[in-house]
Amino acid sequence: MTDQHDAFAALYDLQKMDDALLELLKQRRSLGKEAKTLAAQRAEADQRLEELKDAYKRAYLDHSKVESQLEAEQANLAEYQKKLLAAADAVEYTGFERQIRTTGNAVGLLEEDTIQLMLQMDAAKEEMENGEKERALFEKECVEKRKDLADHAKELERQIQGKKEERAQQAQKTPVQILKQYARWRKARNTSMIAKVVISDEKERGGAVVYACSECSMNIPPQTILETQTKPENQNCPSCSRILWPPKAPSAE
């Protein structure tokens, strides 16, 4: 039983290393997800800024177009006013007056449109400039976050390599047969195979010794503990089915 006890002790330490290694690998994968999320956020920020720039460009072009129309109508109005002064007769004078009224109305409407479009253009420009500032601040944050992620990834990689080296050394201390059994167990269940039996004295139970599974915390009957100490067959936890690694049986005096 001593050899089996030592083998279980070695494997128990090995599977704890495996659990720690899996946790480190999980953290490394989470860093990759964080990096992808950050990249997606940057892409969204870039798209939002491009939309603001496009909105300002459209507002600028709309304002420029109407402003050109206004300048053209103002030029026409000035021309009609000159012609009015040089009208040859009443009919011609009346015709120019009518054109001046029509063109004047058009100029007034275009002036109103120009003002509205100018306000829209200014608002779009302000949103764009604010968007550029926000994007610059966000990019600064992204640079810092990417650096933190890179540093964290480098540290995790160092820990992973160290843990792999420790595991390789620990595996050499574990019997080959039990390593094969453990490998099959891990592949089938993706969890630890050996559960250490935890012993505690509880006064509320009259000072009786209480045995529990270290993995699932369920109480183990004393009879099961006795069988693990006296029988060559492995005994399993009634709750989680892991193989129990019992305390050493007291030596007979």
PDB file of all heavy atoms in Angstrom, residues 32-51:
ATOM      1  N   GLY A  32      -6.630  36.531 -26.056  1.00  0.00           N
ATOM      2  CA  GLY A  32      -6.889  36.585 -27.497  1.00  0.00           C
ATOM      3  C   GLY A  32      -8.270  37.131 -27.798  1.00  0.00           C
ATOM      4  O   GLY A  32      -8.449  37.928 -28.735  1.00  0.00           O
ATOM      5  N   LYS A  33      -9.255  36.734 -26.986  1.00  0.00           N
ATOM      6  CA  LYS A  33     -10.616  37.246 -27.173  1.00  0.00           C
ATOM      7  C   LYS A  33     -10.668  38.747 -26.889  1.00  0.00           C
ATOM      8  O   LYS A  33     -11.348  39.503 -27.588  1.00  0.00           O
ATOM      9  CB  LYS A  33     -11.582  36.491 -26.257  1.00  0.00           C
ATOM     10  CG  LYS A  33     -11.763  35.034 -26.629  1.00  0.00           C
ATOM     11  CD  LYS A  33     -12.723  34.345 -25.667  1.00  0.00           C
ATOM     12  CE  LYS A  33     -12.897  32.874 -26.028  1.00  0.00           C
ATOM     13  NZ  LYS A  33     -13.819  32.179 -25.081  1.00  0.00           N
ATOM     14  N   GLU A  34      -9.940  39.172 -25.834  1.00  0.00           N
ATOM     15  CA  GLU A  34      -9.904  40.600 -25.511  1.00  0.00           C
ATOM     16  C   GLU A  34      -9.279  41.392 -26.656  1.00  0.00           C
ATOM     17  O   GLU A  34      -9.741  42.492 -26.988  1.00  0.00           O
ATOM     18  CB  GLU A  34      -9.105  40.826 -24.227  1.00  0.00           C
ATOM     19  CG  GLU A  34      -9.817  40.397 -22.966  1.00  0.00           C
ATOM     20  CD  GLU A  34      -9.027  40.741 -21.712  1.00  0.00           C
ATOM     21  OE1 GLU A  34      -8.503  41.863 -21.628  1.00  0.00           O
ATOM     22  OE2 GLU A  34      -8.910  39.873 -20.824  1.00  0.00           O
ATOM     23  N   ALA A  35      -8.228  40.835 -27.246  1.00  0.00           N
ATOM     24  CA  ALA A  35      -7.569  41.514 -28.364  1.00  0.00           C
ATOM     25  C   ALA A  35      -8.513  41.638 -29.555  1.00  0.00           C
ATOM     26  O   ALA A  35      -8.560  42.689 -30.221  1.00  0.00           O
ATOM     27  CB  ALA A  35      -6.306  40.762 -28.764  1.00  0.00           C
ATOM     28  N   LYS A  36      -9.287  40.587 -29.836  1.00  0.00           N
ATOM     29  CA  LYS A  36     -10.250  40.640 -30.935  1.00  0.00           C
ATOM     30  C   LYS A  36     -11.355  41.654 -30.645  1.00  0.00           C
ATOM     31  O   LYS A  36     -11.788  42.392 -31.537  1.00  0.00           O
ATOM     32  CB  LYS A  36     -10.858  39.254 -31.160  1.00  0.00           C
ATOM     33  CG  LYS A  36      -9.886  38.254 -31.770  1.00  0.00           C
ATOM     34  CD  LYS A  36     -10.568  36.914 -32.018  1.00  0.00           C
ATOM     35  CE  LYS A  36      -9.604  35.922 -32.649  1.00  0.00           C
ATOM     36  NZ  LYS A  36     -10.240  34.602 -32.880  1.00  0.00           N
ATOM     37  N   THR A  37     -11.809  41.674 -29.390  1.00  0.00           N
ATOM     38  CA  THR A  37     -12.846  42.645 -29.008  1.00  0.00           C
ATOM     39  C   THR A  37     -12.336  44.067 -29.175  1.00  0.00           C
ATOM     40  O   THR A  37     -13.040  44.941 -29.677  1.00  0.00           O
ATOM     41  CB  THR A  37     -13.269  42.412 -27.545  1.00  0.00           C
ATOM     42  OG1 THR A  37     -13.811  41.103 -27.410  1.00  0.00           O
ATOM     43  CG2 THR A  37     -14.321  43.432 -27.129  1.00  0.00           C
ATOM     44  N   LEU A  38     -11.090  44.291 -28.756  1.00  0.00           N
ATOM     45  CA  LEU A  38     -10.488  45.618 -28.880  1.00  0.00           C
ATOM     46  C   LEU A  38     -10.362  46.014 -30.344  1.00  0.00           C
ATOM     47  O   LEU A  38     -10.642  47.164 -30.712  1.00  0.00           O
ATOM     48  CB  LEU A  38      -9.120  45.632 -28.202  1.00  0.00           C
ATOM     49  CG  LEU A  38      -8.395  46.984 -28.129  1.00  0.00           C
ATOM     50  CD1 LEU A  38      -9.228  47.996 -27.341  1.00  0.00           C
ATOM     51  CD2 LEU A  38      -7.028  46.820 -27.485  1.00  0.00           C
ATOM     52  N   ALA A  39      -9.964  45.072 -31.189  1.00  0.00           N
ATOM     53  CA  ALA A  39      -9.835  45.355 -32.620  1.00  0.00           C
ATOM     54  C   ALA A  39     -11.202  45.694 -33.223  1.00  0.00           C
ATOM     55  O   ALA A  39     -11.314  46.600 -34.061  1.00  0.00           O
ATOM     56  CB  ALA A  39      -9.222  44.155 -33.337  1.00  0.00           C
ATOM     57  N   ALA A  40     -12.237  44.981 -32.779  1.00  0.00           N
ATOM     58  CA  ALA A  40     -13.588  45.255 -33.279  1.00  0.00           C
ATOM     59  C   ALA A  40     -14.054  46.642 -32.838  1.00  0.00           C
ATOM     60  O   ALA A  40     -14.694  47.376 -33.612  1.00  0.00           O
ATOM     61  CB  ALA A  40     -14.559  44.187 -32.775  1.00  0.00           C
ATOM     62  N   GLN A  41     -13.734  47.019 -31.598  1.00  0.00           N
ATOM     63  CA  GLN A  41     -14.106  48.344 -31.101  1.00  0.00           C
ATOM     64  C   GLN A  41     -13.384  49.444 -31.884  1.00  0.00           C
ATOM     65  O   GLN A  41     -13.974  50.489 -32.183  1.00  0.00           O
ATOM     66  CB  GLN A  41     -13.772  48.451 -29.615  1.00  0.00           C
ATOM     67  CG  GLN A  41     -14.647  47.590 -28.730  1.00  0.00           C
ATOM     68  CD  GLN A  41     -14.209  47.598 -27.277  1.00  0.00           C
ATOM     69  OE1 GLN A  41     -13.081  47.992 -26.949  1.00  0.00           O
ATOM     70  NE2 GLN A  41     -15.090  47.175 -26.391  1.00  0.00           N
ATOM     71  N   ARG A  42     -12.123  49.203 -32.224  1.00  0.00           N
ATOM     72  CA  ARG A  42     -11.369  50.183 -33.020  1.00  0.00           C
ATOM     73  C   ARG A  42     -11.989  50.329 -34.402  1.00  0.00           C
ATOM     74  O   ARG A  42     -12.095  51.431 -34.932  1.00  0.00           O
ATOM     75  CB  ARG A  42      -9.901  49.761 -33.131  1.00  0.00           C
ATOM     76  CG  ARG A  42      -9.119  49.846 -31.843  1.00  0.00           C
ATOM     77  CD  ARG A  42      -7.674  49.458 -32.048  1.00  0.00           C
ATOM     78  NE  ARG A  42      -6.957  50.477 -32.802  1.00  0.00           N
ATOM     79  CZ  ARG A  42      -6.220  50.234 -33.877  1.00  0.00           C
ATOM     80  NH1 ARG A  42      -6.118  49.009 -34.341  1.00  0.00           N
ATOM     81  NH2 ARG A  42      -5.583  51.213 -34.482  1.00  0.00           N
ATOM     82  N   ALA A  43     -12.399  49.195 -34.988  1.00  0.00           N
ATOM     83  CA  ALA A  43     -13.021  49.235 -36.308  1.00  0.00           C
ATOM     84  C   ALA A  43     -14.340  50.009 -36.257  1.00  0.00           C
ATOM     85  O   ALA A  43     -14.645  50.800 -37.164  1.00  0.00           O
ATOM     86  CB  ALA A  43     -13.255  47.813 -36.822  1.00  0.00           C
ATOM     87  N   GLU A  44     -15.105  49.797 -35.194  1.00  0.00           N
ATOM     88  CA  GLU A  44     -16.370  50.526 -35.033  1.00  0.00           C
ATOM     89  C   GLU A  44     -16.113  52.021 -34.859  1.00  0.00           C
ATOM     90  O   GLU A  44     -16.842  52.854 -35.412  1.00  0.00           O
ATOM     91  CB  GLU A  44     -17.132  49.987 -33.826  1.00  0.00           C
ATOM     92  CG  GLU A  44     -17.691  48.586 -34.026  1.00  0.00           C
ATOM     93  CD  GLU A  44     -18.375  48.062 -32.784  1.00  0.00           C
ATOM     94  OE1 GLU A  44     -18.431  48.806 -31.778  1.00  0.00           O
ATOM     95  OE2 GLU A  44     -18.856  46.913 -32.807  1.00  0.00           O
ATOM     96  N   ALA A  45     -15.077  52.354 -34.074  1.00  0.00           N
ATOM     97  CA  ALA A  45     -14.733  53.761 -33.869  1.00  0.00           C
ATOM     98  C   ALA A  45     -14.290  54.404 -35.182  1.00  0.00           C
ATOM     99  O   ALA A  45     -14.651  55.550 -35.477  1.00  0.00           O
ATOM    100  CB  ALA A  45     -13.630  53.888 -32.822  1.00  0.00           C
ATOM    101  N   ASP A  46     -13.527  53.666 -35.985  1.00  0.00           N
ATOM    102  CA  ASP A  46     -13.093  54.185 -37.281  1.00  0.00           C
ATOM    103  C   ASP A  46     -14.294  54.409 -38.207  1.00  0.00           C
ATOM    104  O   ASP A  46     -14.376  55.428 -38.901  1.00  0.00           O
ATOM    105  CB  ASP A  46     -12.118  53.203 -37.947  1.00  0.00           C
ATOM    106  CG  ASP A  46     -10.755  53.212 -37.264  1.00  0.00           C
ATOM    107  OD1 ASP A  46     -10.442  54.194 -36.566  1.00  0.00           O
ATOM    108  OD2 ASP A  46     -10.015  52.227 -37.421  1.00  0.00           O
ATOM    109  N   GLN A  47     -15.212  53.453 -38.194  1.00  0.00           N
ATOM    110  CA  GLN A  47     -16.399  53.574 -39.042  1.00  0.00           C
ATOM    111  C   GLN A  47     -17.257  54.764 -38.619  1.00  0.00           C
ATOM    112  O   GLN A  47     -17.755  55.514 -39.467  1.00  0.00           O
ATOM    113  CB  GLN A  47     -17.218  52.280 -38.976  1.00  0.00           C
ATOM    114  CG  GLN A  47     -18.465  52.312 -39.865  1.00  0.00           C
ATOM    115  CD  GLN A  47     -19.238  51.005 -39.807  1.00  0.00           C
ATOM    116  OE1 GLN A  47     -18.829  50.058 -39.151  1.00  0.00           O
ATOM    117  NE2 GLN A  47     -20.368  50.968 -40.485  1.00  0.00           N
ATOM    118  N   ARG A  48     -17.400  54.929 -37.298  1.00  0.00           N
ATOM    119  CA  ARG A  48     -18.186  56.059 -36.789  1.00  0.00           C
ATOM    120  C   ARG A  48     -17.562  57.374 -37.205  1.00  0.00           C
ATOM    121  O   ARG A  48     -18.266  58.306 -37.638  1.00  0.00           O
ATOM    122  CB  ARG A  48     -18.262  55.970 -35.259  1.00  0.00           C
ATOM    123  CG  ARG A  48     -18.886  57.176 -34.572  1.00  0.00           C
ATOM    124  CD  ARG A  48     -20.275  57.446 -35.039  1.00  0.00           C
ATOM    125  NE  ARG A  48     -20.865  58.593 -34.368  1.00  0.00           N
ATOM    126  CZ  ARG A  48     -21.929  59.266 -34.796  1.00  0.00           C
ATOM    127  NH1 ARG A  48     -22.530  58.899 -35.922  1.00  0.00           N
ATOM    128  NH2 ARG A  48     -22.400  60.289 -34.119  1.00  0.00           N
ATOM    129  N   LEU A  49     -16.237  57.486 -37.121  1.00  0.00           N
ATOM    130  CA  LEU A  49     -15.559  58.720 -37.527  1.00  0.00           C
ATOM    131  C   LEU A  49     -15.721  58.969 -39.020  1.00  0.00           C
ATOM    132  O   LEU A  49     -15.944  60.108 -39.447  1.00  0.00           O
ATOM    133  CB  LEU A  49     -14.080  58.646 -37.160  1.00  0.00           C
ATOM    134  CG  LEU A  49     -13.241  59.891 -37.478  1.00  0.00           C
ATOM    135  CD1 LEU A  49     -13.823  61.129 -36.796  1.00  0.00           C
ATOM    136  CD2 LEU A  49     -11.798  59.687 -37.045  1.00  0.00           C
ATOM    137  N   GLU A  50     -15.632  57.907 -39.824  1.00  0.00           N
ATOM    138  CA  GLU A  50     -15.821  58.059 -41.269  1.00  0.00           C
ATOM    139  C   GLU A  50     -17.238  58.527 -41.584  1.00  0.00           C
ATOM    140  O   GLU A  50     -17.443  59.334 -42.502  1.00  0.00           O
ATOM    141  CB  GLU A  50     -15.530  56.735 -41.985  1.00  0.00           C
ATOM    142  CG  GLU A  50     -14.058  56.375 -42.035  1.00  0.00           C
ATOM    143  CD  GLU A  50     -13.226  57.448 -42.740  1.00  0.00           C
ATOM    144  OE1 GLU A  50     -13.651  57.931 -43.796  1.00  0.00           O
ATOM    145  OE2 GLU A  50     -12.160  57.812 -42.195  1.00  0.00           O
ATOM    146  N   GLU A  51     -18.201  58.043 -40.828  1.00  0.00           N
ATOM    147  CA  GLU A  51     -19.592  58.473 -41.029  1.00  0.00           C
ATOM    148  C   GLU A  51     -19.737  59.958 -40.715  1.00  0.00           C
ATOM    149  O   GLU A  51     -20.452  60.689 -41.421  1.00  0.00           O
ATOM    150  CB  GLU A  51     -20.531  57.645 -40.149  1.00  0.00           C
ATOM    151  CG  GLU A  51     -20.656  56.198 -40.599  1.00  0.00           C
ATOM    152  CD  GLU A  51     -21.457  55.361 -39.618  1.00  0.00           C
ATOM    153  OE1 GLU A  51     -21.803  55.889 -38.532  1.00  0.00           O
ATOM    154  OE2 GLU A  51     -21.738  54.184 -39.928  1.00  0.00           O
TER     155      GLU A  51
END
